[in-house]
Each structure stands twice: as C-alpha cells, then as structure tokens.
Amino acid sequence: MSVVENVGLDRAELLRFIAAGSVDDGKSTLIGRLLHDSKSIFEDQLSSIAKTSSKRGMQNVDLSLLTDGLQAEREQGITIDVAYRYFATPKRKFIIADTPGHEQYTRNMVTGASTANLAIILIDARKGVLTQSRRHTYLASLVGIPHIVVAVNKMDLVEYSQEVFTRICDDFAVFSQHLNLRNIEYIPMSALNGDMVVERGDQLNWYQGRTLIDLLENVDIEHDVNLDDFRFPVQWVCRPQTEELHDFRGYMGRVESGSIKVGDAVTIQPSGLHSRIKEILLYQSNFDEAFAPQSVTVTIEDHLDISRGDMLIKSDDQPRVDKEFTAMLCWLSEQPLSSGRKYIVKHTTRMVKGLVSQIDYRVDVNTLNQEKTDSLRMNDIARVVMKVQQPLVFDAYSRNRATGSFILIDETTNNTVAAGMIC
Amino acid sequence: MSHRSFTHLDALESEAIHIMREVAAECANPALLFSGGKDSIVLLRLAEKAFRPGRFPFPLLHIDTEHNFPEVIAFRDHRAKELGERLIVRSMDDSIKKGRVVLRSENQSRNPFQSITLLDAIAEFSFDACIGGARRDEEKARAKERIFSFRDEFGQWDPKNQRPELWSLYNTKTHSGENIRVFPISNWTELDVWEYIARENLEVPSIYFAHWREVIPRDSGLLPVSHLVQPRDNEKIEKIMVRFRTVGDMSCTCPVASDAASVGEIIAETAMTRITERGATRMDDQTSDASMELRKKEGYF
C-alpha cells in the first residue's frame, strides 16, 4: 500500500468544473491539453486520435479529437449536451463537464454547471470579451458557481502580448462587477502550445500568476459547501423489524449542508415537530458528527411520524416553509411552458404538483435586459412565481444550492422540462 | 473524520449511496446487476452502506452468458450467500434453447446477446430500474450517458434524447414497460474502484490477481485458453504470468501480463498503466470505433 500513500491519491479531493466556450475558442484543445499534459491519456486513445489526425491530413496530433463525439452525433450532425471526463493529479481528482456550444448552449451549460465548483470561461485573445463570453459568465453566476477562471486563450496568435491580456481582463472586470461572482482569476494561455496550462512554457514570462493546473489543484473548495445550516432531507426510512432491531427506525439521507452532532436538537419540517439526534450511523460505523456532503443514517430520541420528503433541520436555523415562492427558471424542453398547466416539482426528496403562476420577466442572456413575456421556450431564463400544492422546505439558492434548486417534470411525457433556482 | 479529511473516495461513495437510496425510494421494482466483477462488488458494498441494518430493497440479478470464468461464478454465489440477499440468475443458454438468441457458432462471444436475456429478465420480473456498475471512464459512449439512463420499451438508449440531469435531482419517472438503468459509480475511474476495494478490504475473485495461465497471443491481446478458445493453425500456446482487469465472456476477455499479486500492487500498476481498461482487455470493443454505442442502443447496459 506504500505506493498509494506516495501517490497520495487516496487522500485527494474532488473538484468538478466546466469549460465554457465554443469550438472556436479552443475548448476541446484545452481539455485535450489538460488530459494530455497531466498524463491522463492512454496509449490506445492517443494512437487512435493520431490515426484520425493523419487521416485528416494533419501533421500533429489534434488533441481536440479526444473529446470527439459519438457515431450518432457525426451522422446526424448533432451534439449531445454533456460528456464527462476524468483526470487526476496527486492533489486532486477532477471531473470535467464538457458541454458543446451551439444553439442549445444555455440548456447544456446550466446542466453541466449545476454540480460544478469552478467554471473556465474561454476567451479568444484576438476577439476579446464577446457576447457569448458575457452569456457564459452570466450563466455561471446564475447557477452559483463559486470560482471563475477567465482563460485568455490563443495568446500565441497575439504575440503573447501583455497589453492584450490586460485589456481583456479590464473589460471582463467591468462587465462582471454587476454579477454576483465571488472569485475571478485570469490566466493568459495557449492551449495549442501548452503555455500556462500544465507547463508554464517560455513565452509568457511577464505573467507571474498560477498555471491553470496549479489553480485547479489549489483553489479553496472547502467553503463551497454551506457549512452553517444543517439540512437533511430524508430519502428512505429503514425499519428492519427483525427481532433484535424491532424498534429501529433509521432515517437515511445525505447531509446537504451544515453539520450535526449526536444530542443536537432538530426540527422536522414541514410538520414542525422536535426531537434530538440519538445516533449517526453508516454500515458498521458510528459517528459523533456528520457534515455535508456525507450520506448517513440517523436515529432520533422520539417516535415521530417521519417519511421521505421530510427534512431534519438544526433547531436554531430555520428554512422557509411555503407553498409559493419566486424563482429563476431555465426552460430545458422543446415543448414550451404552458402557463397554468400543472407539472411535477422535484425539490430535495419531495415531489409535489405545481405550476408557474406568473412570469415576471425573461432575461435576454446576451444583453441581460429584462423583457416581458407570456411563454417560455427552450433555453429561456425567466423570473417566475411558482405555486405548489404541498408546502416545500427551502432556502434561497444563493445560500444553499441543494435546498434552493428544483426541477419540473412533465406528467405526460415524464421529461425534465425546467430547472429552477429559488430567489 | 472531519470536513477537512473528506477525500474524493468519500465524495464518490456518498454520491453513490445517495443515488441508490433514490432508486429504492422512487422506483417500484428495482434490481441490482451483480456479475461477480470488481465494479459490481463495489456496488454491493455501497448497497450495504446505503441500506444496512435493513435488507437490500432489491434482488441481485445476474445475466449469465455461461461463458464466465468459473472462479467468478463461484465468487458470485459465495458473496450473495454471505450477504443473505436474493440472487436471480438468468442464463443465456435458456434464451438460446427458446430460440431467442441464435449464435453463429458455439464459441463466439456472447457479450452482444446479453441484452436479449437481460430484456427478457426485465420483462419477466417487471423491473423498472436496473442498477449497474458501468463507469463513464470506460468508453466514450458511456461518457455521454446519464447516471439515470432512460430506456424505451425495447430497451433502447437514445443518446440524443436524454433527460437533462441537474444537481442531484434525478428524474426516475417511467411509463409502464419502460426501464431505467442506473449507474451509481458513473463518476468513478478504474483506479477509484481499486482504491475503494483496498479501503473497504473487499474480497475479489482470484483471477484479478497475477497467476500463471495458458494464453494465445492473437491480434493485440492475449486470449485465455479454455474450451472456447483453442489455438488456430500457426498459433502457439504460451504460459505466462497474467491478471484480468475485467472479467467477462471467456471467449473475448483478455488478461494482461502482470505480476501484481495484491490489491496494493494492482493499484500501483493501475496508476502507472498507459492503456485503457477496455482497450487492453475487450476484443469485442475493438471491432469498431462505435461498438459500445451500437450495443447500448440495442439494450446493452
């Protein structure tokens, strides 16, 4: 086992990120470069893309082919919304949500971004901050991605000019100051040549900051999780009803935020009943404390009627419990929103019926202007008022991604038609 | 454990437990696909963590090609018994007898036909969800597949018509006759699986460890000699030290040369290896660039 300890992987953290940009920004090349230079590409993969590269008459291996699509995509000229790629360094394991550009980008990016800690916004150094850069950045802020890396790519095509880089950084800072972004970092790079991705290269010596991989390895993600408000949606109630476990009732779920200790007072919502935590278990382990995002089983001191969809909350910090709320809604389906129609709302582990009772405005994702509308189509983002038949237990999305998010499901087709973030 | 020491394995484990509990709570009649291979061995430990001290809220299901390594089948039965959980086995031989599967030759790979026996078993028991051990790092079709992968009444995967999957809010709704394949370890890599096996001290079939075996070098692989695989003219049998990275159909699953005799040594080797798991071991995945994609569309898991 000593080798593992040397590698250190068994203690590595997990970072999920998304790279936003169109094909022209060199996104596939950047992802290919990260995988290649972090030695995450296998020989058989490399020889396969080398073969394709030479078939297409290219002199060098085209790293962007690593993220090339499926036969169905090539045949039909379509792209599937999200592919996931994996690589690891001794410090961290990375999951990349790779979302292709094109017209469905809003839907794809929101999907890929929903679980991301970090977004790389790719900017072509020759073109500067474009409409699409603003759109990607707005979406990253909407979905609450904690860390933004502005990757000013193709520096090789502007003679590695510091002036160009500085101007783009300034432009970006001006427009993004109105967005709620906590942490923005800027890196000049050439994904094609590998400068400032994993290696520093020797063309950007005026840049003293971190390489992309250095930043990905070291960005502080510990505080990305809400560590303050204990929220435990019950997924499954375990009642073995065997002789030795006759009265055992375990409430199984994942700590979505905050932490809890044995003996802590908890409130069960939406019933409002109170009890104390008796045990925190998982399989053969007993814990004194559990914290987000641990999956555990808890027992409580009292016999209460608790079932899936209920939420355990530390008694001194209460969420909202309501049948009406305002939310930002991203419409994902080709079928437009029918106002007044009932959809299934899935929120934490609770499913209720609900409807969009009012559309306040739609956001033009290119200009960020608010416009009046009475319908929503695929890729639309709007502020709406939701009404649900049973109360939900929720927090604002900006405070808590897990208890502030929901999806809408069409009852007839069973499709997921919208993603919502509670205001 | 404290928040500071929450590792990538802890994060992957917690995600997988959460997924399994969602299946149990929202699907009417799920099953867990257990083959005796390393990925499904990990699934069983995750199910123990998700549901003990209760019983599993689903039976284990194995689609047996009858081309499996005997060590793996023995392990499968032993592990199911140890857990005290119900194991359902459906054999491809039965599908062949019923004329549901027609083979060109007795010895050809049976992997492509597993889908038929699987779909028959799904219909027989009315399973609405099958939990499987597939990982996205295995293959590029898998990389684009959802954790909750929806299949129509013919068991087909439609890659361009997948449900958006946001946060961890999974849509488990199906119409009657439809089915969801659920992959709780989608985000795990081969190395994660071995590190987890080490951390949890899980038993695996002996053929995962280095052993002497008679093989035939053919194309780019080493085919294991068995009643299904015999040397052709001009081919020679060699006896070398090998281990299996995957355990599947004996007629097309190749071992790799290795002297890794413990889980720790396998982890070291996996961390260093330069060839993908399927590239090294599955002849049937090398027939075309899109072989996995095509099989999935036909109902393969």
Side-chain angles (χ1 to χ4, degrees):
Chain A
M1 302 305 298
S2 60
V3 178
V4 186
E5 279 154 23
N6 289 343
V7 176
L9 269 178
D10 58 344
R11 271 185 296 281
E13 289 174 310
L14 186 63
L15 179 98
R16 297 173 194 250
F17 70 92
I18 179 171
S22 70
V23 181
D24 302 338
D25 298 324
K27 181 167 67 80
S28 299
T29 307
L30 175 64
I31 292 174
R33 174 60 65 189
L34 270 173
L35 297 173
H36 181 267
D37 288 5
S38 64
K39 313 247 181 307
S40 310
I41 297 177
F42 295 102
E43 278 166 16
D44 49 330
Q45 290 172 316
L46 205 56
S47 76
S48 157
I49 64 161
K51 235 185 274 171
T52 310
S53 302
S54 76
K55 231 188 268 174
R56 296 185 188 175
M58 287 178 262
Q59 286 189 331
N60 297 320
V61 175
D62 181 0
L63 290 177
S64 72
L65 292 175
L66 279 169
T67 57
D68 209 14
L70 304 179
Q71 186 179 320
E73 297 175 84
R74 290 193 294 274
E75 281 169 359
Q76 300 165 39
I78 50 128
T79 41
I80 291 165
D81 45 10
V82 191
Y84 293 89
R85 327 248 167 230
Y86 305 84
F87 71 101
T89 66
K91 274 197 128 151
R92 277 187 180 159
K93 177 196 158 91
F94 300 96
I95 302 179
I96 314 175
D98 181 11
T99 57
H102 313 295
E103 66 283 352
Q104 287 186 16
Y105 200 74
T106 297
R107 163 195 152 124
N108 299 350
M109 186 172 159
V110 168
T111 303
S114 66
T115 52
N117 306 88
L118 180 146
I120 299 173
I121 308 281
L122 269 151
I123 292 181
D124 184 330
R126 294 170 303 174
K127 298 177 185 160
V129 180
L130 297 177
T131 301
Q132 64 163 7
S133 326
R134 296 173 210 270
R135 181 166 73 220
H136 297 154
T137 312
Y138 169 69
L139 293 174
S141 77
L142 177 77
V143 185
I145 297 180
H147 311 281
I148 304 292
V149 177
V150 180
V152 181
N153 190 28
K154 304 201 179 181
M155 288 299 291
D156 51 313
L157 300 181
V158 295
E159 291 161 347
Y160 294 98
S161 157
Q162 181 172 12
E163 203 181 316
V164 170
F165 175 68
T166 309
R167 181 169 46 75
I168 291 173
C169 296
D170 291 346
D171 287 352
F172 193 93
V174 168
F175 107 88
S176 65
Q177 65 187 347
H178 304 296
L179 301 170
N180 186 26
L181 296 168
R182 280 188 272 158
N183 175 18
I184 307 176
E185 303 253 8
Y186 301 87
I187 305 178
M189 65 178 65
S190 164
L192 187 70
N193 297 335
D195 302 304
M196 290 302 160
V197 181
V198 173
E199 308 295 334
R200 294 195 73 85
D202 48 15
Q203 302 291 335
L204 288 162
N205 294 330
W206 49 263
Y207 169 75
Q208 304 300 318
R210 294 188 281 193
T211 60
L212 179 60
I213 196 75
D214 187 12
L215 198 145
L216 292 173
E217 281 189 321
N218 292 299
V219 63
D220 175 19
I221 53 173
E222 198 182 316
H223 298 96
D224 291 0
V225 190
N226 174 328
L227 295 172
D228 301 321
D229 313 323
F230 174 70
R231 303 285 183 263
F232 186 81
V234 175
Q235 284 188 279
W236 180 254
V237 181
C238 174
R239 295 197 60 191
Q241 292 177 307
T242 55
E243 250 173 61
E244 67 269 37
L245 291 167
H246 193 263
D247 292 324
F248 182 89
R249 280 170 192 239
Y251 302 107
M252 299 177 150
R254 184 168 65 183
V255 181
E256 296 292 0
S257 58
S259 62
I260 194 79
K261 285 195 175 80
V262 170
D264 279 350
V266 287
T267 307
I268 294 91
Q269 291 292 11
S271 67
L273 297 168
H274 300 281
S275 187
R276 281 183 186 280
I277 298 287
K278 188 175 163 192
E279 299 160 289
I280 303 170
L281 321 159
L282 191 73
Y283 187 46
Q284 293 170 340
S285 307
N286 269 274
F287 305 107
D288 298 328
E289 186 180 14
F291 50 86
Q294 260 183 304
S295 286
V296 291
T297 301
V298 300
T299 62
I300 57 173
E301 295 287 355
D302 306 275
H303 277 289
L304 300 177
D305 181 20
I306 299 175
S307 51
R308 175 176 168 86
D310 290 344
M311 200 186 294
L312 272 59
I313 290 136
K314 220 186 261 183
S315 294
D316 49 6
D317 68 71
Q318 291 297 315
R320 281 160 66 195
V321 182
D322 207 336
K323 285 160 66 168
E324 188 174 312
F325 50 88
T326 305
M328 296 304 291
L329 200 64
C330 178
W331 200 259
L332 307 169
S333 169
E334 284 171 6
Q335 286 266 359
L337 163 74
S338 320
S339 51
R341 188 172 157 200
K342 286 195 189 70
Y343 293 92
I344 298 167
V345 180
K346 184 168 184 184
H347 170 262
T348 63
T349 56
R350 209 171 168 79
M351 272 202 272
V352 299
K353 286 192 182 167
L355 52 82
V356 175
S357 68
Q358 182 185 320
I359 304 174
D360 292 339
Y361 56 82
R362 179 172 58 197
V363 178
D364 180 324
V365 291
N366 295 323
T367 60
L368 304 191
N369 288 339
Q370 300 172 1
E371 44 198 44
K372 280 275 163 215
T373 182
D374 50 14
S375 75
L376 293 179
R377 298 177 178 283
M378 186 155 75
N379 294 317
D380 278 352
I381 288 172
R383 198 179 78 175
V384 301
V385 178
M386 295 290 307
K387 276 189 179 156
V388 290
Q389 280 184 336
Q390 307 292 327
L392 295 181
V393 182
F394 59 87
D395 298 282
Y397 183 81
S398 57
R399 180 159 181 91
N400 199 319
R401 270 169 120 172
T403 55
S405 55
F406 62 92
I407 56 171
L408 297 187
I409 299 170
D410 183 315
E411 275 189 292
T412 316
T413 62
N414 285 339
N415 284 333
T416 305
V417 294
M421 290 146 279
I422 299 171
C423 298
Chain B
M1 199 175 355
S2 75
H3 185 73
R4 280 197 164 275
S5 62
F6 204 70
T7 67
H8 74 290
L9 279 186
D10 295 324
L12 293 171
E13 178 192 68
S14 180
E15 176 183 68
I17 292 170
H18 177 261
I19 290 163
M20 284 204 185
R21 287 169 171 173
E22 285 300 285
V23 176
E26 292 202 348
C27 299
N29 191 20
L32 185 148
L33 298 169
F34 177 54
S35 64
K38 65 181 187 312
D39 301 308
S40 58
I41 289 170
V42 165
L43 285 185
L44 290 184
R45 170 50 51 88
L46 292 166
E48 288 183 279
K49 295 214 177 189
F51 301 110
R52 294 291 186 243
R55 322 229 7 116
F56 292 179
F58 37 67
L60 314 181
L61 171 65
H62 184 221
I63 302 305
D64 191 346
T65 58
E66 310 280 352
H67 275 188
N68 285 294
F69 294 94
E71 295 90 340
V72 177
I73 295 303
F75 178 86
R76 174 197 74 188
D77 295 339
H78 149 78
R79 184 69 183 123
K81 202 172 163 199
E82 185 180 52
L83 286 166
E85 300 290 345
R86 179 177 169 217
L87 171 68
I88 299 169
V89 178
R90 283 297 172 267
S91 160
M92 200 180 292
D93 277 355
D94 292 333
S95 304
I96 294 167
K97 272 182 221 145
K98 286 184 207 150
R100 301 272 296 130
V101 170
V102 181
L103 299 171
R104 272 179 289 117
S105 80
E106 178 51 30
N107 295 350
Q108 79 175 102
S109 163
R110 292 183 169 192
N111 269 350
F113 303 103
Q114 280 183 65
S115 318
I116 295 170
T117 312
L118 173 61
L119 293 179
D120 287 351
I122 286 172
E124 179 186 349
F125 294 95
S126 304
F127 291 130
D128 59 348
C130 293
I131 302 169
R135 309 186 319 264
R136 285 175 177 150
D137 78 323
E138 285 179 82
E139 209 279 330
K140 66 182 179 186
R142 297 247 199 252
K144 302 207 165 186
E145 191 168 11
R146 302 287 195 257
I147 292 174
F148 282 68
S149 182
F150 178 79
R151 303 301 169 94
D152 66 14
E153 55 191 320
F154 302 102
Q156 296 180 97
W157 179 55
D158 182 358
K160 63 179 193 303
N161 222 344
Q162 302 190 80
R163 293 174 178 173
E165 204 161 78
L166 295 105
W167 300 290
S168 41
L169 292 170
Y170 304 109
N171 177 354
T172 61
K173 294 268 173 203
T174 52
H175 293 294
S176 161
E178 296 169 342
N179 182 270
I180 297 183
R181 310 289 164 82
V182 185
F183 305 117
I185 60 168
S186 286
N187 287 325
W188 298 44
T189 61
E190 185 185 11
L191 186 58
D192 297 328
V193 165
W194 281 112
E195 287 182 345
Y196 193 72
I197 287 169
R199 190 181 92 169
E200 297 293 316
N201 204 9
L202 298 176
E203 199 185 333
V204 296
S206 57
I207 62 172
Y208 278 114
F209 300 109
H211 56 283
W212 290 101
R213 184 175 284 269
E214 290 188 332
V215 295
I216 304 163
R218 187 181 293 171
D219 302 329
S220 57
L222 302 169
L223 273 172
V225 176
S226 70
H227 68 285
L228 300 170
V229 179
Q230 291 294 319
R232 296 172 185 160
D233 295 341
N234 311 325
E235 281 184 339
K236 261 202 188 134
I237 293 179
E238 291 177 21
K239 194 165 189 183
I240 58 172
M241 185 76 111
V242 295
R243 70 177 175 90
F244 286 91
R245 280 173 75 184
T246 66
V247 296
D249 186 317
M250 272 195 285
S251 70
C252 66
T253 304
C254 301
V256 292
S258 167
D259 53 9
S262 68
V263 174
E265 285 167 10
I266 291 174
I267 290 172
E269 207 174 85
T270 306
M272 300 300 289
T273 189
R274 303 301 310 142
I275 299 184
T276 61
E277 183 175 328
R278 284 186 175 266
T281 64
R282 290 290 181 90
M283 290 243 162
D284 54 336
D285 282 331
Q286 292 170 12
T287 46
S288 99
D289 211 25
S291 8
M292 171 68 86
E293 185 184 347
L294 296 176
R295 272 191 282 150
K296 284 182 103 61
K297 286 189 190 160
E298 287 161 5
Y300 193 74
F301 77 93

